[in-house]
C-alpha cells in the first residue's frame, strides 16, 4: 500500500476440508500496486503461480540427495569405494571406503580434476600404470557426461604404499530435478583376497590350458608330416606289382593310417561328447576293418605276453556293410587295448575277441546286420572307477577313462550301446551296433 512492489513471494495456503489433499498449496506471488488516474495507490493486485507439484518434487529430490550423501559417506564396510565428479570433471566426493582403499584423504581429492590430478602418472595423486589407463578412464567419463551408456571398466592404480589395486569400475550419470546431467558417480568392485586368489588360480589354469592346446596343436601339426609320407609310400606300393598277400597287408596298413588321420583331425571333441558328430557312411569290408583293429594290439599282446584269441565266423569276415569303418576301428581297438592293459600276465593268459552277427530284413531288399562284439578277459577286470569314467565325464578324468568315455560316446552316435559285464572268473565289454548290409548273397 506504500507503493513498494514485491516479486517471487512464496505463500502457503491451507486447503479446505472437502479436498482430499490436505497438504498446503504453494504459490509464488508477484504483488503489484493498483493506482488511480492521479497515480495514488488504491489497492494491491496479486498474480500467483501454483508450484505445489514442482515443490514436492524438489523437496523429495533434496531428501534423496541428503539420504544419498549419508549413504556415500557412511564408514560401513558394506559401502563400496565411491567417488563423484561434476560435469567439468572435478572431484565432488571421495568416500570413506575410497580413502581406505587408496590411502588418499578426502580433502586431498575434493575439488581436484579427477583425471590428471587425482588419478595421475605422477606420485602426488593415485598413480596409474600408464597413459592408456588415464585415456580409457577419460573416454568413459566423457561418454557418460555426454549422455551415453557405458560398460564396466577394468581399472587399476597404485595406493600410497605402492600396492597395485585392480577393480571393476562402474560409472553412472548424475542428474538434477530437470533431468540435466550434472556429473558422474563411480564406484569400484574390489574383489576380496579369497576371490583375488581364486581369480589368480583361474588365470593360471587358463594359461596352462592354452599352453596345452598349443602343444596339442603342435603335435597334430608334426604328426601330419610323417602321415603324408606314409600315404605317399602306400600309393607307390599300391602302384607296384604286389602279390595278393602283400596287397592285403598294404590294405590293412592303409586302414590304420586312415584311422590315425581321422583321430588327428578330431579337434571338436565337444561334438563327440554332445553326440552331434557327423559320421561318414561308405561301403566297407568288416573283415578288413577287424584285421586293422587286431593289428593295432598285436605288439602290446606280445609285450604283455597275453594272447588275443579271435572268434570271427567266416560270414562276418566276408560282409560288406555301410557305415563309418574308421570310427568302428577306433572304438574296438580302444576297448581291446584296455582289456589287454588290465589282464594280468600269467601262463596261458588270454583275451577273447568274439563277433556274433544276425541279419534282419526290412522290406524286400534292405537287410540290417546286428553285430555283437564281445571282448572277454580274466578277473578282476577293469577297475570300477574307470568303468564309471567311461559313462560319466568328470574334471579329474584319467587318460584311460577319457579314451573309454569318447569311445562309448562314439558307439552311442552310431546308435549302439556299450556294457561292461562282470562275472566270477571273467569280465566282458559288450558292444552292440548295427549296419545296413551293402552286399548280400543268398546261398539258398
Amino acid at each position: 500500500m506504500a507503493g513498494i512492489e514485491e516479486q517471487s513471494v512464496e505463500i502457503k495456503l491451507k486447503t479446505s476440508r472437502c479436498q482430499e489433499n490436505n497438504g498446503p498449496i504453494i504459490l509464488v506471488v508477484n504483488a503489484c500496486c493498483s493506482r488511480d488516474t492521479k497515480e495514488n495507490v488504491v489497492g494491491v493486485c496479486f498474480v500467483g503461480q501454483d508450484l505445489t507439484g514442482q515443490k514436492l518434487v524438489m523437496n523429495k529430490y533434496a531428501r534423496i540427495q541428503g539420504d544419498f550423501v549419508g549413504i556415500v559417506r557412511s564408514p560401513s564396510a558394506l559401502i563400496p569405494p565411491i567417488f563423484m565428479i561434476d560435469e567439468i570433471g572435478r572431484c565432488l566426493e571421495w568416500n570413506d571406503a575410497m580413502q581406505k582403499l587408496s590411502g588418499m584423504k578426502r580433502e586431498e581429492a575434493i575439488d581436484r580434476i579427477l583425471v590428471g590430478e587425482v588419478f595421475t602418472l605422477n606420485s602426488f595423486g593415485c598413480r596409474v600404470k600408464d597413459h592408456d589407463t588415464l585415456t580409457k578412464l577419460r573416454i568413459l567419463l566423457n561418454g557418460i557426461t555426454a549422455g551415453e551408456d557405458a560398460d564396466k571398466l577394468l581399472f587399476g592404480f597404485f595406493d600410497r604404499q605402492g600396492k597395485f589395486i585392480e577393480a571393476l569400475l562402474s560409472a553412472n550419470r548424475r542428474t538434477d530435478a530437470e533431468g540435466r546431467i550434472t556429473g558422474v558417480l563411480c564406484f569400484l568392485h574390489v574383489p576380496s583376497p579369497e576371490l583375488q586368489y581364486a581369480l589368480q588360480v583361474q588365470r593360471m589354469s587358463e594359461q596352462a590350458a592354452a599352453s596345452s592346446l598349443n602343444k596339442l596343436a603342435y603335435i597334430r601339426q608334426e604328426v601330419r608330416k610323417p602321415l603324408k609320407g606314409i600315404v605317399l609310400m602306400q600309393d607307390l606300393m599300391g602302384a607296384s606289382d604286389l602279390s595278393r598277400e602283400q596287397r592285403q597287408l598294404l590294405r590293412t596298413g592303409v586302414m590304420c593310417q586312415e584311422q590315425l588321420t581321422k583321430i588327428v583331425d578330431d579337434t571338436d571333441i565337444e561334438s563327440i561328447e554332445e553326440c552331434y558328430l557327423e559320421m561318414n557312411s561308405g561301403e566297407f569290408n568288416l573283415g578288413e576293418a577287424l584285421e586293422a583293429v587286431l593289428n593295432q594290439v598285436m605288439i602290446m599282446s606280445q609285450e604283455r605276453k597275453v594272447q588275443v584269441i579271435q572268434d570271427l565266423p567266416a560270414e562276418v569276415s566276408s560282409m560288406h556293410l555301410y557305415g563309418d569303418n574308421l570310427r568302428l576301428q577306433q572304438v574296438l581297438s580302444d576297448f581291446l587295448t584296455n582289456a589287454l592293459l588290465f589282464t594280468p600276465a600269467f601262463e596261458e593268459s588270454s583275451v577273447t575277441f568274439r563277433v556274433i552277427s544276425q541279419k534282419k530284413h526290412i522290406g524286400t531288399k534292405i537287410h540290417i546286420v546286428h553285430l555283437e562284439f564281445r571282448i572277454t578277459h580274466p578277473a578282476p577286470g577293469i577297475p570300477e572307477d574307470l568303468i564309471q569314467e567311461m559313462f560319466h565325464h568328470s574334471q579329474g578324468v584319467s587318460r584311460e577313462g577319457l579314451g573309454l568315455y569318447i569311445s562309448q560316446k562314439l558307439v552311442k552316435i552310431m546308435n549302439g550301446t556299450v556294457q561292461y559285464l562282470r562275472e566270477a572268473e571273467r569280465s566282458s565289454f559288450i558292444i552292440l551296433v548295427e549296419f545296413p548290409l551293402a552286399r548280400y548273397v543268398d546261398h539258398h
Side-chain angles (χ1 to χ4, degrees):
M1 293 299 288
I4 302 167
E5 296 184 339
E6 294 286 346
Q7 291 185 341
S8 300
V9 177
E10 187 175 302
I11 298 175
K12 290 184 181 180
L13 302 176
K14 287 183 179 180
T15 54
S16 63
R17 290 180 183 177
C18 63
Q19 287 185 323
E20 291 181 8
N21 182 12
N22 293 322
I25 298 296
I26 300 168
L27 302 176
V28 172
V29 176
N30 292 337
C32 310
C33 298
S34 294
R35 299 177 187 269
D36 60 13
T37 54
K38 296 180 180 179
E39 293 297 317
N40 296 318
V41 176
V42 294
V44 180
C45 175
F46 292 93
V47 180
Q49 183 182 2
D50 185 357
L51 294 181
T52 308
Q54 186 177 341
K55 274 288 182 181
L56 286 173
V57 171
M58 288 298 291
N59 289 341
K60 186 178 180 182
Y61 181 76
R63 284 198 302 276
I64 290 170
Q65 285 285 87
D67 294 342
F68 179 72
V69 170
I71 290 168
V72 167
R73 295 186 185 170
S74 167
S76 169
L78 298 174
I79 306 300
I82 295 172
F83 54 90
M84 220 182 290
I85 61 168
D86 61 15
E87 64 270 22
I88 64 168
R90 188 175 56 217
C91 185
L92 298 178
E93 185 56 68
W94 191 264
N95 77 338
D96 188 71
M98 197 65 206
Q99 290 184 84
K100 289 176 182 175
L101 182 68
S102 65
M104 187 176 187
K105 293 182 180 177
R106 187 172 184 274
E107 52 268 27
E108 295 177 278
I110 294 297
D111 291 332
R112 285 187 175 181
I113 299 298
L114 186 80
V115 181
E117 290 185 346
V118 178
F119 292 112
T120 73
L121 291 169
N122 307 302
S123 56
F124 60 79
C126 289
R127 187 169 63 87
V128 298
K129 270 185 175 179
D130 49 34
H131 195 271
D132 190 45
T133 303
L134 284 185
T135 302
K136 287 179 180 177
L137 180 60
R138 186 179 283 111
I139 290 169
L140 175 76
L141 299 175
N142 287 348
I144 291 173
T145 306
E148 298 171 7
D149 293 324
D151 293 327
K152 292 179 174 64
L153 174 69
L154 189 63
F155 181 67
F157 61 93
F158 295 92
D159 67 10
R160 286 292 172 87
Q161 282 71 46
K163 179 186 173 186
F164 186 68
I165 295 162
E166 197 169 38
L168 205 59
L169 188 151
S170 292
N172 300 280
R173 67 179 70 94
R174 297 179 67 229
T175 56
D176 60 16
E178 282 78 35
R180 290 190 298 265
I181 296 173
T182 59
V184 182
L185 163 71
C186 301
F187 59 93
L188 299 178
H189 306 265
V190 183
S192 66
E194 293 81 10
L195 182 56
Q196 285 178 328
Y197 175 73
L199 290 171
Q200 183 183 1
V201 170
Q202 183 184 352
R203 278 195 294 268
M204 289 170 67
S205 300
E206 287 170 353
Q207 288 167 0
S211 175
S212 296
L213 285 173
N214 283 335
K215 289 174 184 174
L216 183 60
Y218 164 76
I219 291 168
R220 281 197 174 110
Q221 174 185 299
E222 294 304 303
V223 166
R224 284 191 181 102
K225 294 172 186 175
L227 264 176
K228 288 177 181 176
I230 291 168
V231 171
L232 178 62
M233 290 301 104
Q234 288 169 343
D235 289 345
L236 292 172
M237 288 175 68
S240 63
D241 188 17
L242 298 175
S243 68
R244 184 177 178 183
E245 185 182 353
Q246 287 172 328
R247 287 203 174 276
Q248 189 56 50
L249 290 172
L250 176 60
R251 178 61 186 152
T252 302
V254 168
M255 293 182 80
C256 288
Q257 168 265 310
E258 288 174 344
Q259 179 187 330
L260 176 57
T261 303
K262 174 82 80 173
I263 293 167
V264 167
D265 290 339
D266 270 341
T267 53
D268 187 10
I269 299 297
E270 188 179 315
S271 67
I272 299 175
E273 292 183 291
E274 299 297 326
C275 293
Y276 60 82
L277 178 76
E278 190 173 336
M279 289 283 181
N280 290 337
S281 186
E283 183 179 327
F284 69 95
N285 175 248
L286 182 57
E288 289 181 346
L290 297 180
E291 186 68 24
V293 170
L294 290 163
N295 273 278
Q296 291 175 52
V297 299
M298 279 305 145
I299 292 175
M300 186 180 188
S301 167
Q302 292 163 9
E303 288 174 347
R304 295 187 62 81
K305 295 182 173 58
V306 176
Q307 187 183 1
V308 177
I309 299 172
Q310 305 172 34
D311 184 359
L312 309 176
E315 65 167 7
V316 167
S317 298
S318 61
M319 279 182 182
H320 286 256
L321 307 173
Y322 279 118
D324 196 330
N325 66 295
L326 300 179
R327 292 300 185 186
L328 182 63
Q329 289 170 203
Q330 181 181 344
V331 299
L332 291 178
S333 63
D334 189 48
F335 292 129
L336 193 51
T337 298
N338 276 280
L340 277 166
L341 189 63
F342 290 97
T343 296
F346 54 80
E347 194 175 347
E348 297 183 0
S349 180
S350 64
V351 173
T352 304
F353 182 58
R354 186 183 183 199
V355 183
I356 304 166
S357 69
Q358 183 183 0
K359 296 186 188 73
K360 178 184 174 184
H361 293 254
I362 298 179
T364 55
K365 294 183 179 180
I366 300 172
H367 298 81
I368 299 294
V369 179
H370 293 271
L371 294 169
E372 178 185 315
F373 299 96
R374 190 176 284 256
I375 300 167
T376 305
H377 62 143
I382 303 218
E384 185 56 37
D385 57 349
L386 205 56
I387 297 301
Q388 289 300 315
E389 287 180 349
M390 180 168 71
F391 294 103
H392 307 288
H393 187 46
S394 59
Q395 286 294 326
V397 67
S398 64
R399 188 175 56 198
E400 294 84 2
L402 181 60
L404 287 170
Y405 177 75
I406 294 295
S407 294
Q408 179 264 137
K409 286 291 186 181
L410 286 170
V411 172
K412 190 174 181 180
I413 295 168
M414 289 190 277
N415 294 317
T417 60
V418 179
Q419 303 170 42
Y420 190 72
L421 178 65
R422 289 190 192 276
E423 298 175 276
E425 300 295 326
R426 60 187 183 177
S427 297
S428 303
F429 281 108
I430 302 169
I431 303 101
L432 302 173
V433 287
E434 58 182 37
F435 296 99
L437 187 67
R439 281 189 249 162
Y440 177 70
V441 179
D442 193 344
H443 297 288
H444 299 290

mmCIF file of all heavy atoms in Angstrom, residues 2 57 67 373:
data_model
loop_
_atom_site.group_PDB
_atom_site.id
_atom_site.type_symbol
_atom_site.label_atom_id
_atom_site.label_comp_id
_atom_site.label_asym_id
_atom_site.label_seq_id
_atom_site.Cartn_x
_atom_site.Cartn_y
_atom_site.Cartn_z
ATOM 1 N N ALA A 2 2.145 1.089 0.388
ATOM 2 C CA ALA A 2 3.080 2.211 0.400
ATOM 3 C C ALA A 2 3.733 2.386 -0.967
ATOM 4 O O ALA A 2 4.616 3.248 -1.127
ATOM 5 C CB ALA A 2 4.142 1.987 1.465
ATOM 6 N N VAL A 57 8.334 -32.265 -5.715
ATOM 7 C CA VAL A 57 9.413 -32.997 -6.393
ATOM 8 C C VAL A 57 10.772 -32.515 -5.902
ATOM 9 O O VAL A 57 11.677 -33.313 -5.598
ATOM 10 C CB VAL A 57 9.291 -32.840 -7.920
ATOM 11 C CG1 VAL A 57 10.526 -33.399 -8.626
ATOM 12 C CG2 VAL A 57 8.044 -33.546 -8.428
ATOM 13 N N ASP A 67 19.821 -38.267 1.846
ATOM 14 C CA ASP A 67 19.997 -39.682 2.186
ATOM 15 C C ASP A 67 21.189 -40.272 1.448
ATOM 16 O O ASP A 67 21.972 -41.033 1.994
ATOM 17 C CB ASP A 67 18.736 -40.476 1.821
ATOM 18 C CG ASP A 67 17.540 -40.074 2.677
ATOM 19 O OD1 ASP A 67 17.778 -39.463 3.735
ATOM 20 O OD2 ASP A 67 16.396 -40.368 2.286
ATOM 21 N N PHE A 373 29.967 -107.362 -30.521
ATOM 22 C CA PHE A 373 31.396 -107.551 -30.301
ATOM 23 C C PHE A 373 31.594 -107.809 -28.809
ATOM 24 O O PHE A 373 31.247 -106.953 -27.980
ATOM 25 C CB PHE A 373 32.177 -106.310 -30.729
ATOM 26 C CG PHE A 373 32.025 -105.965 -32.191
ATOM 27 C CD1 PHE A 373 31.091 -105.017 -32.600
ATOM 28 C CD2 PHE A 373 32.804 -106.590 -33.144
ATOM 29 C CE1 PHE A 373 30.941 -104.702 -33.942
ATOM 30 C CE2 PHE A 373 32.661 -106.273 -34.500
ATOM 31 C CZ PHE A 373 31.725 -105.333 -34.894
#
